[in-house]
Amino acid sequence: MSKLVAFAAIQGGYKVVSQVEGEYKKALETFDASTKVSFGNTAYYLPVIYSLLGIKVETLEDLKKPLEFARGLLPPHVKGKNHLPYLGPLLDAGMAAIFAYEIKEALRILNEPDFYSFTEDPDVESGSIWLGPADDTILRKRGVEFVDGSAPGFAAIVGAAPTPEIARDIVEDYQKKSLYIFCAANHNNTSVIQQLVDQDVQVGWNTRIVPFGPDISSAVFALGFANRAAMAFGGVQPGDHRKMLMYNKERIFAFVNALGDVGTEWGVAAAGCVNWGFPTLADTDIPEILPTGICTYEHVVANVPHEELCQKSVEVRGLKVTVSDINIPCSFGPAYEGERVRGADLHSQMGGGKTQCTELVKRAEMNEIEDGKVIVVGKDIADLNEGDTLPLGIFIQIAGREFQEDFEPIMERQIHHLVNYIQGIMHIGQRDISWVRVSKAAVDKGFTLKDIGVVLHAKFHQEFQKIVDKVQITLYTEKEDVAKLTATARAEYKTRDERVDKMTDEDVEIFYSCSLCQSFAPNHVCSVSPERTGLCGAYNWMDCRAAYEINPTGPNQPIEKGECLDPVLGQWKGVNEFVEKASRGAVTHYNFYSMVIDPMTTCGCCECIAAMLPSCNGVMTVNREFAGDTPSGMKFTTLAGVMGGGASSPGFVGHSKYNITQRKFIKGDGGLLRMVWMPKMLKEEIKDRLDQYGKENGYPDFYNMIADETVGTTEEEILPFLQEKGHPAMSMDSLIG
């Protein structure tokens, strides 16, 4: 490590801290010291400062302590001819700059509250392209992808490429590897984000190309996202700086790409990222730091050719990615799942209320189908003019020696994700309410409907090879053919729903575990039974059984439930033994049907969180999409922060949306009739099932008895409503004994 590296980084640290001290002084002269300071809808305050120092920054006055801490971290200036090649002073200078950058961004938001949009997608037409720090709703939504491996890591790109075309090629390389791309800073009066926008590339969380901000200080949002993931999903406590940094090194696979001239401010930011184990790779001739120790391999690598930047970054970080080579004219991968096909980009579409679009998967005998055969019956995309619509029926036949009818809906559900993975194609919905939109760009590349079949055939073989031997796909586009398939499909849907709804926990001797989230929440063990779906909403009992059939050593393992220790609370000896072993002794037992007594552990991926409302003798639940206040006194983000990370928290429990109306939902606490409040958006989403539950349990108007935010967001506000409606919880035994 050269003297020049140390000099530049340390000088950069002094420069950044001094600048921010000046901005802070000016803010104190402009605003009262008690003025609120925050990053918006988050329970993690200023997340880097909170996670590493344990300091809760809520006011302008609160910024003083971390800023003083940053100043105290700055090492002595480099002097003399010799410099000992120790990383320590550089890391300290880098960390000081990172703290200062986060304070700088907090002051920017205070001074210019409309500078960032704080949304998932930028408003490109208005010129508002910078999103700023992600709120906790986005963190929870996107964190699941880092947990289940569909997003193996992220590339933080600062600066701008020499040409817009090079910027696009670099970003597309990362998208093909399913990585997120977090962008900040500019070079030569432009940025990678602006270069992409100028080429009509969609940016935002939905395409995994995230425009954090225009300055190098905005890169701190990427570090904040990583640290919040550690707290939300990994149970790392605020202030435990060593565990926080080690967690990031071992579990968050990220790196920095510096495109353009690396000055002292960029240099000290790179030194700061080394603390996290995140290396920096540059396209310019900068001094390198090549020894290993903190990052997986090198710390700073220079002169990386643009066409090699993606592969070299992945190699240096030690990241393992799986890239599927699908023979279609468009790029393919999870990075395109959130891509929109808007009106101006639209070539043609199927379904969405304009035509019928139906999907059906059926088991077939080996001799009935030909593997890899894709048939289009009727018109294809090439037969359409811009703006045309088509009906569409996707009929998939699967043969496999171990393929069962129970697996049909699981495979059917994959269609949504896999079709969305095609660049320029948007898929919404499932079953007989699907909607497919095809972009002009995809048609220009040569996309046809047959490519949908090619993708589904390849991916079903890749991801379900244990149970899939043959796949044949027929795509119908004639109205009569689609109508016929739809009638058949609806009969199948009805049969399936009745079969699943009729299953009970008593019907089976085997439950299944799901340890996908243990990569972020090491102590969390989710147990899935027929009447207790996975709390993330993505896995039910049949899904887990299928996953075990596919991968016997994977995250879904069979659990022999064994002796029933408590049929009301839902506790089994075999489950307890499995949970204790899988959590490495952190959790010895839990109950499936109670949120009051030893409830199941919860991680940050849960769709909803239920909480006791003692004054109302009932419970509430809130879904993660709801950002408002709740009668528990906490928003979803706060609730998740309190109980995420694999804890069993009496009085609270994470669960899926579907689980709400399953027969044994909090049965040990009185069941769903205890539910006194939930957000209106969630009520509407599950209205039909709530109505059915109410009729079956003697309360046909139960849906209207449940309060929502239009009634109130405190127990005092909703209690009169519950009493007026005669809510069943009002006459039940006390919830707290």
Side-chain angles (χ1 to χ4, degrees):
M1 182 177 66
S2 72
K3 174 182 175 182
L4 180 60
V5 174
F7 177 81
I10 293 172
Q11 283 294 103
Y14 274 93
K15 180 180 178 181
V16 171
V17 172
S18 296
Q19 285 178 343
V20 175
E21 285 174 337
E23 293 178 22
Y24 180 55
K25 181 180 179 182
K26 184 176 179 180
L28 286 173
E29 293 170 352
T30 306
F31 301 96
D32 186 89
S34 62
T35 301
K36 295 292 183 182
V37 173
S38 75
F39 276 178
N41 180 33
T42 175
Y44 300 107
Y45 309 95
L46 303 190
V48 173
I49 291 170
Y50 179 54
S51 60
L52 295 178
L53 303 181
I55 298 173
K56 299 178 180 180
V57 173
E58 297 180 88
T59 67
L60 198 56
E61 175 71 21
D62 294 336
L63 290 173
K64 181 179 180 181
K65 187 174 181 180
L67 190 53
E68 289 176 345
F69 189 90
R71 168 62 67 177
L73 278 176
L74 293 173
H77 290 281
V78 175
K79 297 179 180 179
K81 295 181 179 180
N82 300 312
H83 172 69
L84 294 176
Y86 298 146
L87 271 176
L90 274 75
L91 299 181
D92 287 343
M95 189 62 80
I98 296 300
F99 289 144
Y101 279 146
E102 191 166 52
I103 294 169
K104 179 182 180 71
E105 288 296 335
L107 293 174
R108 187 209 297 270
I109 293 170
L110 175 63
N111 289 308
E112 303 177 73
D114 297 325
F115 187 86
Y116 295 123
S117 67
F118 305 104
T119 57
E120 281 199 85
D121 295 300
D123 186 354
V124 174
E125 292 183 3
S126 71
S128 177
I129 61 174
W130 303 115
L131 301 182
D135 69 16
D136 285 354
T137 302
I138 294 173
L139 171 72
R140 301 284 170 185
K141 182 178 180 181
R142 301 295 166 178
V144 176
E145 295 167 353
F146 287 89
V147 170
D148 66 18
S150 61
F154 68 79
I157 300 181
V158 297
T163 69
E165 291 74 22
I166 291 174
R168 183 190 61 216
D169 290 344
I170 292 172
V171 168
E172 284 194 353
D173 276 349
Y174 286 129
Q175 285 185 302
K176 290 174 183 176
K177 288 180 168 55
S178 303
L179 295 164
Y180 272 82
I181 304 98
F182 292 159
C183 300
N186 63 83
H187 179 63
N188 289 337
N189 298 315
T190 189
S191 65
V192 164
I193 288 297
Q194 190 60 57
Q195 291 176 319
L196 296 175
V197 168
D198 290 344
Q199 297 178 91
D200 296 323
V201 175
Q202 292 184 31
V203 299
W205 283 98
N206 284 313
T207 57
R208 301 193 180 187
I209 308 170
V210 184
F212 274 140
D215 302 314
I216 189 62
S217 57
S218 308
V220 77
F221 299 147
L223 299 176
F225 184 89
N227 282 19
R228 287 155 70 194
M231 290 185 286
F233 301 108
V236 181
Q237 295 303 306
D240 191 345
H241 62 274
R242 185 179 185 281
K243 188 173 182 180
M244 177 64 65
L245 296 175
M246 288 301 296
Y247 184 98
N248 275 278
K249 177 185 176 183
E250 295 169 358
R251 296 176 183 268
I252 307 293
F253 291 94
F255 45 85
V256 180
N257 286 166
L259 304 180
D261 299 329
V262 178
T264 58
E265 292 183 44
W266 284 24
V268 74
C273 290
V274 171
N275 286 283
W276 274 257
F278 300 167
T280 293
L281 294 92
D283 62 350
T284 55
D285 187 17
I286 64 171
E288 297 184 311
I289 305 177
L290 299 180
T292 61
I294 298 176
C295 301
T296 306
Y297 299 108
E298 297 88 351
H299 300 327
V300 177
V301 183
N303 291 318
V304 182
H306 296 113
E307 64 273 15
E308 299 175 15
L309 191 59
C310 175
Q311 185 57 44
K312 184 67 173 177
S313 297
V314 167
E315 173 191 325
V316 169
R317 183 62 181 95
L319 175 60
K320 306 298 182 184
V321 297
T322 300
V323 182
S324 303
D325 186 14
I326 307 292
N327 188 23
I328 61 173
C330 304
S331 295
F332 179 87
Y336 301 109
E337 185 176 10
E339 186 180 22
R340 306 287 200 275
V341 177
R342 299 184 174 92
D345 308 319
L346 180 66
H347 176 274
S348 50
Q349 58 185 317
M350 293 127 269
K354 296 165 180 61
T355 63
Q356 181 60 46
C357 187
T358 300
E359 301 164 350
L360 179 65
V361 171
K362 282 298 296 175
R363 178 181 175 274
E365 296 298 330
M366 288 288 194
N367 60 356
E368 290 179 339
I369 61 174
E370 179 183 336
D371 186 45
K373 187 174 184 179
V374 180
I375 311 163
V376 178
V377 181
K379 293 181 178 180
D380 205 333
I381 299 297
D383 303 313
L384 303 180
N385 295 317
E386 188 176 309
D388 283 353
T389 62
L390 268 183
L392 179 63
I394 302 176
F395 180 46
I396 303 173
Q397 295 167 279
I398 300 177
R401 291 172 180 82
E402 298 185 41
F403 191 81
Q404 305 171 29
E405 285 188 359
D406 287 346
F407 301 159
E408 292 171 354
I410 299 161
M411 307 299 284
E412 212 168 85
R413 199 177 310 149
Q414 308 307 310
I415 297 172
H416 169 73
H417 300 289
L418 297 177
V419 173
N420 261 326
Y421 288 177
I422 306 172
Q423 185 183 28
I425 310 301
M426 185 175 80
H427 183 286
I428 297 174
Q430 59 181 347
R431 287 192 167 185
D432 59 343
I433 56 171
S434 298
W435 186 9
V436 179
R437 289 168 70 94
V438 180
S439 71
K440 298 173 189 175
V443 175
D444 290 342
K445 290 183 177 181
F447 173 81
T448 69
L449 289 178
K450 186 175 181 179
D451 294 323
I452 291 178
V454 171
V455 164
L456 295 176
H457 168 260
K459 294 301 290 181
F460 281 171
H461 271 294
Q462 289 174 5
E463 298 185 8
F464 298 91
Q465 55 185 288
K466 182 173 175 59
I467 59 172
V468 171
D469 293 323
K470 290 184 175 182
V471 181
Q472 178 173 308
I473 299 167
T474 306
L475 298 105
Y476 298 103
T477 61
E478 295 292 341
K479 186 175 181 180
E480 296 77 11
D481 294 330
V482 175
K484 184 176 179 180
L485 178 67
T486 301
T488 302
R490 286 172 177 164
E492 289 290 337
Y493 303 154
K494 185 174 185 295
T495 301
R496 291 175 189 170
D497 290 342
E498 290 174 349
R499 184 169 67 242
V500 174
D501 287 342
K502 289 177 182 177
M503 288 186 68
T504 69
D505 288 352
E506 290 77 18
D507 291 337
V508 300
E509 294 303 317
I510 298 292
F511 293 164
Y512 286 93
S513 70
C514 184
S515 58
L516 275 173
C517 298
Q518 280 199 340
S519 60
F520 280 83
N523 296 333
H524 175 57
V525 184
C526 193
S527 298
V528 181
S529 73
E531 295 183 278
R532 221 299 186 174
T533 57
L535 55 83
C536 67
Y539 285 82
N540 61 31
W541 185 84
M542 286 187 174
D543 296 330
C544 292
R545 186 176 72 169
Y548 177 68
E549 291 282 345
I550 297 162
N551 182 10
T553 61
N556 303 114
Q557 293 294 305
I559 305 173
E560 292 189 14
K561 64 181 186 181
E563 178 188 355
C564 182
L565 303 178
D566 194 319
V568 177
L569 296 178
Q571 187 176 152
W572 292 267
K573 183 178 180 182
V575 174
N576 288 347
E577 292 171 351
F578 182 93
V579 168
E580 183 170 13
K581 181 178 179 181
S583 69
R584 295 168 288 279
V587 181
T588 60
H589 66 283
Y590 56 49
N591 295 313
F592 278 50
Y593 313 144
S594 179
M595 59 179 285
V596 177
I597 304 172
D598 299 330
M600 190 178 288
T601 58
T602 295
C603 80
C605 298
C606 57
E607 281 192 308
C608 305
I609 297 177
M612 289 174 53
L613 298 179
S615 297
C616 297
N617 198 36
V619 304
M620 55 145 278
T621 191
V622 56
N623 54 312
R624 67 183 176 197
E625 296 87 354
F626 183 72
D629 294 323
T630 76
S632 69
M634 293 178 278
K635 298 180 179 181
F636 180 93
T637 52
T638 308
L639 286 164
V642 168
M643 57 180 301
S648 175
S649 307
F652 305 88
V653 74
H655 59 89
S656 69
K657 294 176 182 178
Y658 186 79
N659 184 225
I660 296 171
T661 50
Q662 289 187 287
R663 285 177 293 270
K664 292 192 174 70
F665 177 69
I666 61 169
K667 171 188 171 184
D669 309 321
L672 182 56
L673 294 181
R674 286 279 191 189
M675 185 65 66
V676 298
W677 189 94
M678 67 173 70
K680 188 174 181 63
M681 62 191 300
L682 179 59
K683 274 178 63 179
E684 291 294 330
E685 185 174 341
I686 63 173
K687 182 179 187 301
D688 291 344
R689 300 204 306 274
L690 284 173
D691 286 340
Q692 182 64 30
Y693 183 92
K695 290 175 184 176
E696 292 176 357
N697 289 272
Y699 291 91
D701 197 37
F702 185 56
Y703 169 86
N704 292 316
M705 291 180 172
I706 302 173
D708 54 41
E709 69 274 19
T710 65
V711 176
T713 55
T714 68
E715 289 191 74
E716 292 76 14
E717 289 173 342
I718 68 172
L719 183 56
F721 171 87
L722 302 172
Q723 293 169 334
E724 177 188 342
K725 293 289 185 179
H727 192 289
M730 298 294 96
S731 57
M732 296 173 75
D733 292 340
S734 174
L735 184 61
I736 56 178

